[in-house]
Amino acid sequence: MQRLSDTPIPTYLVDSQEFANELLADEITTLLTEQAGRLVLGLATGNSPIGLYNELARRFREDWIDLCFVHTYNLDEYMDLPADHPASYRAFMSEHLFERTNLGPRHVHFPPTGVEDIDAACLRWEENIEAAGGIDWQLLGIGRNGHIGFNEPGSPFDSRTRRIELTESTRTANARFFEDPEDVPHQAVTMGIGTILEAKRLRVLAFGETKAQILERVLRSEDDPSIPLNALRRHPDAALYIDSAAAARLG
Ligand code: F6R
């Protein structure tokens, strides 16, 4: 693993995705030991975290880790999808992590979507995170446009958990999970950038050539506050783990 020089966010080039997944799983394993199992994790969906979730499930199966006291808070969820819809983020997390470990059903939390007063529910969700002691370790992926969670370009860096309109580019990118591209919801609820920045540690996984252009724009250019990923410049303990395809334009 090589730490890239002169990047505004600490960035590590890894030899393989598996290595990055093991490294992040090691970090979680260490925190579990240090905090006697009481850990609050912020989690993401999408392709990027699947290998890490596989590694955590393996460690659980092989008795390295116990997640019974862990609480998880997911970054985002679609509006207007039943919780058991196969493309809901809750269904994704159940398949890739929750059902493969002993994470308790009452310990896994998603942004509120199926309620009438979304604004009030978002406030309660934020209070809930605070009452849990805040997020110890937050996992992020990045969109091709630099979004984090569903905070699209232009989202204020002090934004809080809220309902948002999805951009057409994000709807198109996510259409692969739906039978008909028209079925992709137009709205979602996402943790805000300000909410994300309050996590104690931020870890980003970015693999593959589709991430190369945005990484160049963030890591090799002046600070542009319209790109959500740039918010991580303001965090004291953020790090990106990228493979050689994602690093292709960094020189
Ligand atoms: C998902 C999320 C998104 C993804 C991003 C990258 O919960 O918050 O911001 O992390 O769209 O997606 P992948 O990993 O599929 O490239």
Side-chain angles (χ1 to χ4, degrees), residues 44-49 75-76 89 140-143 147-150 176 211:
T45 59
N47 285 333
S48 311
L75 281 167
D76 37 22
Y89 284 177
L140 297 168
I142 48 173
H147 74 213
I148 53 174
F150 271 139
R176 63 191 193 277
K211 306 293 163 80

Side-chain angles (χ1 to χ4, degrees), residues 43-50 53 74-77 89 92-93 138-151 170 173-174 176-177 190 196 205-207 210-211:
L43 299 178
T45 59
N47 285 333
S48 311
I50 291 178
Y53 296 157
N74 262 79
L75 281 167
D76 37 22
E77 179 60 288
Y89 284 177
F92 175 99
M93 291 305 303
Q138 173 73 55
L139 181 63
L140 297 168
I142 48 173
R144 293 168 194 211
N145 60 5
H147 74 213
I148 53 174
F150 271 139
N151 296 282
T170 296
N174 291 3
R176 63 191 193 277
F177 298 112
T190 183
I196 292 170
L205 291 174
F207 303 135
T210 59
K211 306 293 163 80

